[in-house]
């Protein structure tokens, strides 16, 4: 359901991540519950967290986005309560929605922290919210969602700004020898075919490149975790780097809104190693995070659905 009537609270809905080493396995147990994930893959991801200090910055960064959002909403004269709920770790969606309910919320704007829609990045979060509402019972607030914002000018502006940062670090006078590669989480082909995920990713990438005045770019995928017998979106970023016809590349994690293990390990460690082996200088653009343009975009969408 998309938002039409006014909302009196906001729930930012994210995936979540472990904040301490002793939370890594319980978190991963939540993630893989009900899925056929090979044990070796599970242990491989545990090792990734070990390499990153036994934690993810995802929760901290999402809370930073929420704090910036509250400030921006206050500036816009729409200081509605902003809660943060995670699907796979604390603070859980159910607990955060209950807190908003106890604070008097009756219609909540659910802002799912994913720009490009697929079953995994949208419908599953909605199902988590529905479960939370069912647990609250008759007093549960209505939860509505904004229209897709993958092509919002402020989101594109934030992506372009982050991409410029990576180009600046390369320090090359001639950018024609630099390949621009956008990456997003791979998903099963059957899931991709059932929704707008690939189309939306391509649109965001095209708009970002156009804003930068860059004509050529590639879209690659990363972080595949499913059965090797199942077809998933390709090409993988590692294969893209191995076959690159240049010695420099800017990699933009367009499908991720803040840093977590799938950016910090899969790109900064694994893909970067592939690039070095191929003799490629790779610069990874920062995720949009709490970039002022991204926060302004969120606030403008929320303000349009609040008050009155």
């Amino acid at each position: 359901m998309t938002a039409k009537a006014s909302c009196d609270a906001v729930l930012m809905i994210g995936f979540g991540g472990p904040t301490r080493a002793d939370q890594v396995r319980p978190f991963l147990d939540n993630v893989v519950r009900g899925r056929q994930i090979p044990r070796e893959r599970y242990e491989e991801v545990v090792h990734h967290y070990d390499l990153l200090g036994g934690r993810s910055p995802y929760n901290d960064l999402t809370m930073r986005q929420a704090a910036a959002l509250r400030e921006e909403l206050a500036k816009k004269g729409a200081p509605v309560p902003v809660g943060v709920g995670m699907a796979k770790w604390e603070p859980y969606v159910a607990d955060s929605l209950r807190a908003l309910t106890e604070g008097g919320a009756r219609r909540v704007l659910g802002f799912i922290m994913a720009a490009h829609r697929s079953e995994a990045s949208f419908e599953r979060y909605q199902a988590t919210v529905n479960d939370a509402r069912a647990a609250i019972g008759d007093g549960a607030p209505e939860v509505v969602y904004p229209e897709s914002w993958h092509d919002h000018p402020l989101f594109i502006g934030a992506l372009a700004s982050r991409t410029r940062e990576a180009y600046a670090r390369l320090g090359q006078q001639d950018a024609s020898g630099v390949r621009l590669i956008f990456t997003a989480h791979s998903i099963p082909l059957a899931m991709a075919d059932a929704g707008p995920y690939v189309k939306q990713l391509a649109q965001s990438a095209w708009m970002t490149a156009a804003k930068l005045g860059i004509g050529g770019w590639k879209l690659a995928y990363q972080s595949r975790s499913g059965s090797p017998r199942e077809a998933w979106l390709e090409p993988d970023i590692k294969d893209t780097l191995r076959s690159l016809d240049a010695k420099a590349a800017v990699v933009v994690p367009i499908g991720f809104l803040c840093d977590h293990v799938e950016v910090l390990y899969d790109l900064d460690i694994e893909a970067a190693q592939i690039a070095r082996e191929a003799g490629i200088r790779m610069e990874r653009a920062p995720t949009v995070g709490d970039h002022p343009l991204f926060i302004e975009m969120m606030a403008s969408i929320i303000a349009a659905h609040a008050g009155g």
Side-chain angles (χ1 to χ4, degrees), residues 136-219:
I136 293 170
D138 291 341
E142 181 184 8
V143 179
V144 295
Y145 303 90
E147 298 293 340
S148 181
W149 41 268
H150 69 283
D151 56 351
H152 194 290
L154 292 173
F155 178 55
I156 300 303
L159 286 168
S161 177
R162 294 304 200 200
T163 304
R164 286 191 197 97
E165 293 178 39
Y167 272 96
R169 287 197 303 274
L170 276 175
Q172 294 188 202
Q173 296 298 317
D174 182 9
S176 62
V178 181
R179 297 296 176 261
L180 176 59
I181 308 170
F182 295 97
T183 70
H185 206 300
S186 185
I187 61 174
L189 278 182
M191 184 187 297
D193 290 343
Y197 186 68
V198 174
K199 181 179 179 180
Q200 290 183 349
L201 282 167
Q203 189 172 8
S204 294
W206 179 83
M207 292 177 72
T208 302
K211 191 168 184 66
L212 294 166
I214 297 172
W217 51 272
K218 297 177 183 292
L219 177 60

Side-chain angles (χ1 to χ4, degrees), residues 205-241:
W206 179 83
M207 292 177 72
T208 302
K211 191 168 184 66
L212 294 166
I214 297 172
W217 51 272
K218 297 177 183 292
L219 177 60
Y221 298 94
Q222 60 172 93
S223 311
R224 173 182 173 148
S225 60
S227 167
R229 295 183 297 276
E230 187 177 17
W232 282 51
L233 286 172
E234 295 178 341
D236 186 273
I237 179 61
K238 299 187 290 294
D239 295 331
T240 298
L241 288 167

Side-chain angles (χ1 to χ4, degrees), residues 12 64-73 76 113 154 158 288-302:
M12 291 172 55
R64 188 184 302 174
Q65 290 172 320
L69 176 60
R70 292 184 189 103
E71 289 185 15
E72 188 66 22
L73 286 169
K76 290 183 177 296
M113 299 301 289
L154 292 173
V288 291
D290 59 352
H291 191 287
L293 291 178
F294 179 60
I295 299 302
E296 183 184 350
M297 183 211 76
M298 291 183 67
S300 66
I301 291 172
I302 292 163

